[in-house]
Amino acid sequence: MSLTITEAGLQPGVYDSIPNEAYHADPAVGSTTLKGLLDPSKYGTYNERGQAPFTGGRAALDFGTVAHSVLLEGDYSAIELMRFDDYRSKAAREARDAAYEAGKIPLKQTELDQVMTIVDAVRAHPVAADLLTGHIAEQTLIHRDPATGVLIKVRPDARTGGIITDLKTAAS
């Protein structure tokens, strides 16, 4: 099924299998917009839809995306394993750029090892493992605020019954 987000966006409801790009294209107000309103200096400037840009760097975003895909959905398909320790050589940069052009996320072996350490640790944790067993991953929820009429969106990482779990990766 193909989903196209129009200027009007999604209507209130619960949606499974909405691609990440479609979710972010939807004009409903999300958490990034709200955080940016609270502290514009931290979240930067806004585009025409009122969305703040990601400021953590591409490598951090890629790492988090892969950790989410592997842990929450068991999906390794976006990973393009690089056979280089760094991107100083022309060949390494070209391989990295080719992976991006193909829609893949280039990861060095050390980065993939870090992702798998996180995955193993979360799966070994008694509470976290329970929260991520039988969960629904990356479900999109759209709500219309009755007082303002504003559409609000949220995309919990995982939902198990009435419990919502949010996975975060961090440098330390």
Side-chain angles (χ1 to χ4, degrees):
M1 173 178 94
S2 176
L3 178 72
T4 302
I5 303 295
T6 65
E7 283 299 314
L10 294 169
Q11 294 304 305
V14 178
Y15 299 88
D16 293 326
S17 304
I18 301 246
N20 197 41
E21 298 79 24
Y23 172 79
H24 289 292
D26 188 87
V29 174
S31 65
T32 302
T33 304
L34 296 174
K35 288 185 278 189
L37 292 172
L38 292 172
D39 187 356
S41 67
K42 182 175 179 184
Y43 290 91
T45 58
Y46 292 86
N47 64 21
E48 64 279 359
R49 291 186 176 233
Q51 297 164 327
F54 178 75
T55 58
R58 180 134 197 197
L61 181 61
D62 286 349
F63 186 86
T65 297
V66 169
H68 272 75
S69 295
V70 172
L71 183 60
L72 300 172
E73 301 173 89
D75 182 5
Y76 295 79
S77 65
I79 300 169
E80 181 74 28
L81 189 60
M82 296 285 104
R83 297 181 181 182
F84 304 95
D85 293 331
D86 56 54
Y87 296 115
R88 289 183 287 201
S89 73
K90 181 178 179 185
R93 289 190 303 274
E94 287 174 349
R96 176 198 61 202
D97 295 346
Y100 281 132
E101 284 185 34
K104 300 284 189 173
I105 297 175
L107 285 187
K108 295 175 280 188
Q109 184 64 54
T110 55
E111 294 166 326
L112 181 57
D113 292 345
Q114 290 173 328
V115 168
M116 295 314 300
T117 297
I118 291 169
V119 169
D120 292 344
V122 171
R123 289 181 178 159
H125 191 278
V127 175
D130 282 349
L131 291 172
L132 297 176
T133 299
H135 67 281
I136 299 170
E138 304 292 348
Q139 194 173 52
T140 298
L141 310 164
I142 306 286
H143 172 74
R144 184 176 304 280
D145 179 61
T148 64
V150 172
L151 285 172
I152 302 167
K153 65 183 177 181
V154 65
R155 188 178 175 103
D157 291 338
R159 187 174 62 80
T160 310
I163 299 173
I164 290 176
T165 304
D166 190 45
L167 175 67
K168 294 293 179 208
T169 55
S172 63

